[in-house]
Amino acid sequence: MPNQRSTVSNSFYFGRASVAYMGLDDDAREYHREEPPGKLEIATTKPTNTQRDLSLAYSPGVAAPCRDIADDASDAFDYTAKGNLVGVVSNGSAVLGLGDIGAQASKPVMEGKGVLFKRFADIDVFDVELDADSADAIVESVAAMEPTFGGINLEDIKAPECFEVEERLRDRMNIPVFHDDQHGTAIISGAALINAAEVVEKEVSELNIVFSGAGASAIATARFYLSLGARRENITMCDSTGIITNARAEEVNEFKREFTTDRPEGDLADAMDGADVFVGLSVGGIVDGEMVRSMADNPVIFAMANPDPEVDYETAKQARDDTVVMATGRSDYPNQVNNVLGFPFLFRGALDVRATDINEEMKRAAATALAELARQDVPDAVVKAYGDQPLQYGADYVIPKPLDPRVLFEVAPAVARAAVESGAAREELAPDQYRERLEARLGKSREMMRVVLNKAKSDPKRIALADGSDEKMIRAAYQLQEQGIADPVLLGQPDDIHRTADRLGLSFDPEVVGPDERELEVYADRLYELRKRRGLTRTEAEELVRRDTNYLGSVMLDSGDTDAMLTGLTHHYNSALRPMLEVIGTDDNADYAAGVYMLTFKNRVIFCADTTVNENPDAEMLAEITRHTADLARRFNVEPRAAMLSYSNFGSVDTAKTQTPREAVSILHDDPEVDFGVDGEMQADTAVVEDILEGTYGFSELEAPANMLIFPSLEAGNIGYKLLQRLGGAEAIGPMLVGMDKPVHVLQRDDEVKDIVNLAGLAVVDAQE
């Protein structure tokens, strides 16, 4: 069992070294070779279109920030990319699965690390491959680059030099220095250990822990477990010779010497006998079923060698009849210990408070945040990304999945907070504002929805959820209540709803209105009163209220027993909308309802209407839809600029179809209450391209490109928003129903929990107003 660095999975850029993966090898070569070669590029973040732009970016304008930084070095964080730039540094002496391949050959790996930093935490990276063999040479080279970077990630440097390099650089540099091969595995497996101990109902301080492997990762992980509460006397470490006993203290290096034990000499099998936890950071296939059976009741097994774990998942599970909490470095088994759950978010939190170090408190905060996240309900998008396999806290789910976007919002703030509390931070961030900054990094839609959800939380309202027995709706209700966005009322069979909530492990007692409750009589009376002259009998009214939660929810809202309503998750759009129109109807100042989608791009937001309701709107309808959509935009703090779309530009084609949007513009221009920009008819590119709008059509009423696109027909609107979403890379939020008398929204049948929460938040804001 050789001493080697962690073999924990990073399946994002490595395949397994076997004949079966030759196809993957060839695909990877083509992937890297395709123009432009590699995986990273540098992009500008400021305009460079004019001579003035260039004079600001470089000489002579650049002299001003240079002088400021010369006077105060901290200004570099304000004027340059330093605060979001990490150096990924390696000499290629211990590359995962490849060994000592040298600096040049390690470059694809370091670029890959940069991809992960950017993909998961929006951190920019320069990869630095040093042709240096000694610790002195690495330290001097890296220390000299401190003015360039906000942090240093050391990668694939062999032990024991890696310990010295990191320690000396941390002492010498005033920015975070982090050796991921040591601490990444420690943090992620530490999070798993916290939850595993809870699952098997044992205290961390009581766990007898055996390590297979005594390299850099094993040493760092053992140290970290001590900081989580494990006891040194309960840790047994084995290397290729066997148990590292006190008798061997003189023959091992100083780092192994930290974990010598007074127990008798023996091999790994001896060490595992009676152990509560096995931590494998060595080589595959060295643990068999008999060794697993020798462990204590309900054992925890972290077999993290890659590509083949010390003991495979099936062998470990089949060896025992009791609970086995099993984690590996592989993505095809539960509980993958993957360093990508750690380093991007550690650095995100550290960079955002301009930390001088990543200390033990910050690492512990990261592990604790990961452990707590695993206990929460998992978003639908994450479940889908992993083949719809069940993801619920327990033996097979003690750490979050790498593709879970919530990791950023949980780990980075926890790390930042720990940096402030431990004195490592140079800046302090308000928690709410910091979360909004993080939301913005993951896309405009999150930033926009944060505006609405914050408004909702200021005054939560009661919202009826018509598809109350559906699992997604129950999960959404839990989140709405847990986050303080709304007070949900689930409509459906109470026994089914409570049974589903218990199965999902949701610890809340939702308010439920079922079809058999006596109080529904009053709702049947109300429905009959509203629809008796439309052919509805009293008996039919009671049947509808008890059988169809869309009617029940609509009447409850009409009666004032709830403030808003959502439906549509288990119904076609039209059948879900009909009861709302019959019972709630449109606003007193509205004749029509309409469906609006908000499309968010990287730096742009566009509202599209009508996309779901009115098939062939006339000019009056288009004008009304525009007013409603403008009101909606303002709820998102967006000042509306509306374009009436057509295939004509300002009269260039004169037909009945082009006259309709043109007439709608005239109606809006003549309306003294319209206080936003609107113009048309115009083609879609005229509406959204500044050069066309201001150049060719400088007379337009719009001061900037439109952020509201009003389509001439339902067909055009539905096609248009879907093309923008699929080909333009936009995220779509909606459909949001406007023009109704009370806050109601109709979901799409394939909507996820987050979509339900978003529309519920919007409905609450509607109700507030």
Side-chain angles (χ1 to χ4, degrees):
M1 189 193 323
N3 288 348
Q4 54 183 357
R5 51 148 279 166
S6 167
T7 48
V8 169
S9 165
N10 207 331
S11 58
F12 290 88
Y13 56 86
F14 271 122
R16 301 187 184 107
S18 66
V19 175
Y21 276 71
M22 288 305 293
L24 182 61
D25 288 347
D26 291 338
D27 289 346
R29 291 186 181 98
E30 185 59 30
Y31 173 86
H32 285 78
R33 186 187 297 120
E34 184 179 354
E35 289 292 335
K39 301 183 286 284
L40 298 174
E41 66 176 1
I42 294 176
T44 59
T45 59
K46 300 294 188 298
T48 56
N49 301 319
T50 67
Q51 176 59 38
R52 177 166 176 76
D53 291 340
L54 295 178
S55 69
L56 293 172
Y58 198 54
S59 182
V62 73
C66 288
R67 286 193 293 267
D68 290 350
I69 294 170
D71 293 336
D72 183 353
S74 67
D75 281 347
F77 288 99
D78 298 318
Y79 288 131
T80 74
K82 177 184 176 78
N84 196 50
L85 186 61
V86 166
V88 174
V89 180
S90 179
N91 68 346
S93 60
V95 177
L96 176 62
L98 299 173
D100 188 353
I101 59 174
Q104 188 69 79
S106 73
K107 187 171 178 63
V109 179
M110 304 313 133
E111 284 189 357
K113 195 82 170 187
V115 169
L116 301 181
F117 267 110
K118 189 66 177 177
R119 162 63 176 81
F120 288 97
D122 194 32
I123 293 173
D124 297 321
V125 161
F126 286 160
D127 58 289
V128 179
E129 293 75 33
L130 297 175
D131 188 9
D133 293 329
S134 69
D136 287 342
I138 297 172
V139 168
E140 292 303 319
S141 298
V142 175
M145 292 186 284
E146 181 169 352
T148 301
F149 297 109
I152 297 293
N153 182 98
L154 299 173
E155 192 79 11
D156 294 341
I157 299 171
K158 66 182 176 69
E161 287 86 346
C162 61
F163 294 108
E164 179 185 353
V165 168
E166 184 191 40
E167 185 176 351
R168 288 172 60 183
L169 287 173
R170 287 184 63 190
D171 289 342
R172 184 165 169 179
M173 301 179 77
N174 207 31
I175 58 175
V177 177
F178 181 79
H179 185 207
D180 185 46
D181 304 317
Q182 292 184 55
H183 309 296
T185 305
I187 292 167
I188 313 309
S189 69
L193 184 71
I194 293 170
N195 281 342
E198 180 177 271
V199 168
V200 299
E201 300 181 349
K202 298 178 183 180
E203 296 294 329
V204 172
S205 61
E206 299 172 355
L207 297 174
N208 288 305
I209 304 171
V210 171
F211 279 81
S212 173
S217 185
I219 298 293
T221 300
R223 288 172 174 172
F224 188 65
Y225 287 6
L226 292 176
S227 76
L228 295 178
R231 296 177 181 172
R232 188 181 298 274
E233 61 268 24
N234 290 345
I235 293 178
T236 299
M237 190 167 288
C238 300
D239 61 10
S240 56
T241 303
I243 299 172
I244 303 176
T245 63
N246 291 336
R248 295 179 56 204
E250 297 304 317
E251 68 183 61
V252 298
N253 63 43
E254 61 182 293
F255 306 105
K256 293 183 183 182
R257 202 172 298 137
E258 289 182 42
F259 293 97
T260 58
T261 178
D262 59 2
R263 66 183 294 169
E265 292 187 3
D267 58 15
L268 181 60
D270 297 320
M272 290 181 63
D273 189 6
D276 296 295
V277 181
F278 169 81
V279 182
L281 291 161
S282 52
V283 293
I286 61 172
V287 174
D288 58 28
E290 188 59 38
M291 295 163 73
V292 173
R293 280 189 288 273
S294 74
M295 296 180 69
D297 292 344
N298 303 317
V300 176
I301 299 174
F302 297 163
M304 297 179 286
N306 199 57
D308 298 312
E310 285 82 359
V311 56
D312 63 74
Y313 180 83
E314 292 83 2
T315 299
K317 285 287 191 176
Q318 292 170 8
R320 309 279 305 218
D321 294 327
D322 54 1
T323 300
V324 178
V325 180
M326 176 78 174
T328 70
R330 288 172 50 162
S331 60
D332 52 348
Y333 292 130
N335 296 324
Q336 183 193 14
V337 179
N338 192 314
N339 285 15
V340 79
L341 280 168
F343 66 83
F345 315 108
L346 269 168
F347 272 97
R348 180 75 277 155
L351 291 174
D352 289 339
V353 293
R354 299 181 183 178
T356 58
D357 189 18
I358 293 178
N359 57 32
E360 204 66 18
E361 291 87 347
M362 295 160 73
K363 296 176 211 169
R364 227 175 12 248
T368 303
L370 283 170
E372 291 175 352
L373 180 59
R375 301 169 194 172
Q376 299 177 20
D377 188 43
V378 181
D380 294 333
V382 178
V383 176
K384 289 180 180 178
Y386 290 91
D388 290 319
Q389 59 179 289
L391 298 176
Q392 187 172 335
Y393 180 60
D396 285 338
Y397 183 71
V398 293
I399 41 177
K401 293 292 188 179
L403 292 177
D404 192 333
R406 300 172 302 163
V407 177
L408 175 64
F409 308 122
E410 299 299 328
V411 176
V415 170
R417 186 167 53 251
V420 171
E421 292 172 355
S422 64
R426 284 177 279 203
E427 280 199 349
E428 188 168 348
L429 298 170
D432 289 344
Q433 294 176 355
Y434 184 40
R435 185 177 178 89
E436 290 175 9
R437 279 176 52 179
L438 294 174
E439 294 272 10
R441 288 189 178 278
L442 282 195
K444 198 71 175 175
S445 65
R446 289 179 172 272
E447 181 182 3
M448 300 303 297
M449 282 312 308
R450 183 54 47 190
V451 172
V452 170
L453 295 178
N454 283 342
K455 288 182 181 178
K457 290 177 182 179
S458 68
D459 184 18
K461 300 294 183 182
R462 284 168 57 81
I463 183 166
L465 304 177
D467 305 290
S469 297
D470 185 88
E471 180 178 308
K472 290 182 183 177
M473 197 65 89
I474 295 169
R475 291 167 56 206
Y478 172 75
Q479 291 189 22
L480 290 169
Q481 182 174 299
E482 183 77 5
Q483 297 175 31
I485 296 169
D487 298 321
V489 181
L490 290 164
L491 309 184
Q493 289 288 351
D495 290 345
D496 292 344
I497 291 171
H498 289 294
R499 190 160 42 245
T500 301
D502 290 342
R503 176 174 57 81
L504 294 171
L506 304 179
S507 56
F508 84 126
D509 186 19
E511 181 178 350
V512 179
V513 176
D516 299 324
E517 297 188 20
R518 296 174 60 87
E519 291 78 3
L520 298 192
E521 292 286 339
V522 68
Y523 297 135
D525 291 340
R526 177 58 180 164
L527 180 59
Y528 173 63
E529 186 66 28
L530 290 170
R531 304 296 296 174
K532 64 186 179 182
R533 292 184 179 274
R534 300 295 180 91
L536 188 71
T537 68
R538 174 62 176 75
T539 300
E540 289 170 335
E542 182 158 352
E543 287 178 357
L544 284 175
V545 166
R546 294 191 183 279
R547 176 172 48 84
D548 191 333
T549 55
N550 289 318
Y551 278 100
L552 173 58
S554 297
V555 180
M556 289 179 68
L557 178 57
D558 176 73
S559 303
D561 291 337
T562 59
D563 304 299
M565 174 184 169
L566 288 189
T567 186
L569 198 61
T570 60
H571 300 79
H572 289 295
Y573 192 90
N574 289 339
S575 63
L577 179 60
R578 187 178 302 112
M580 295 176 168
L581 291 173
E582 291 178 358
V583 177
I584 303 298
T586 57
D587 185 84
D588 291 341
N589 298 318
D591 294 315
Y592 312 101
V596 182
Y597 272 94
M598 180 175 72
L599 299 179
T600 62
F601 302 83
K602 185 174 182 180
N603 295 305
R604 192 171 194 167
V605 176
I606 290 179
F607 294 85
C608 296
D610 177 14
T611 59
T612 60
V613 180
N614 302 287
E615 191 168 353
N616 289 299
D618 58 21
E620 288 286 352
M621 293 173 71
L622 286 175
E624 186 173 313
I625 289 168
T626 305
R627 294 188 192 98
H628 295 325
T629 307
D631 290 340
L632 176 65
R634 282 174 167 158
R635 288 187 202 123
F636 287 90
N637 292 349
V638 173
E639 189 57 33
R641 298 184 301 274
M644 293 287 183
L645 297 186
S646 177
Y647 61 90
S648 168
N649 274 317
F650 303 100
S652 62
V653 178
D654 192 18
T655 66
K657 287 193 173 183
T658 63
Q659 289 170 7
T660 300
R662 196 180 310 152
E663 183 182 344
V665 171
S666 297
I667 293 170
L668 291 167
H669 283 176
D670 292 340
D671 185 347
E673 294 187 0
V674 173
D675 59 350
F676 56 88
V678 55
D679 214 340
E681 85 287 10
M682 67 179 77
Q683 295 177 3
D685 56 347
T686 302
V688 299
V689 178
E690 186 172 13
D691 289 346
I692 300 176
L693 187 65
E694 296 185 358
T696 307
Y697 304 103
F699 56 81
S700 170
E701 297 284 331
L702 299 184
E703 297 179 353
N707 52 27
M708 281 172 44
L709 302 181
I710 310 301
F711 289 87
S713 69
L714 178 59
E715 183 178 39
N718 196 269
I719 292 171
Y721 99 81
K722 287 182 177 178
L723 284 174
L724 285 170
Q725 180 187 12
R726 301 302 181 182
L727 299 182
E731 289 190 59
I733 295 175
M736 296 173 276
L737 201 58
V738 296
M740 296 294 289
D741 190 43
K742 294 195 175 185
V744 291
H745 292 292
V746 181
L747 299 156
Q748 300 283 31
R749 298 182 73 182
D750 60 349
D751 276 349
E752 299 175 357
V753 172
K754 70 177 179 63
D755 303 311
I756 301 171
V757 171
N758 286 342
L759 281 183
L762 182 64
V764 169
V765 173
D766 290 343
Q768 290 171 349
E769 297 176 357

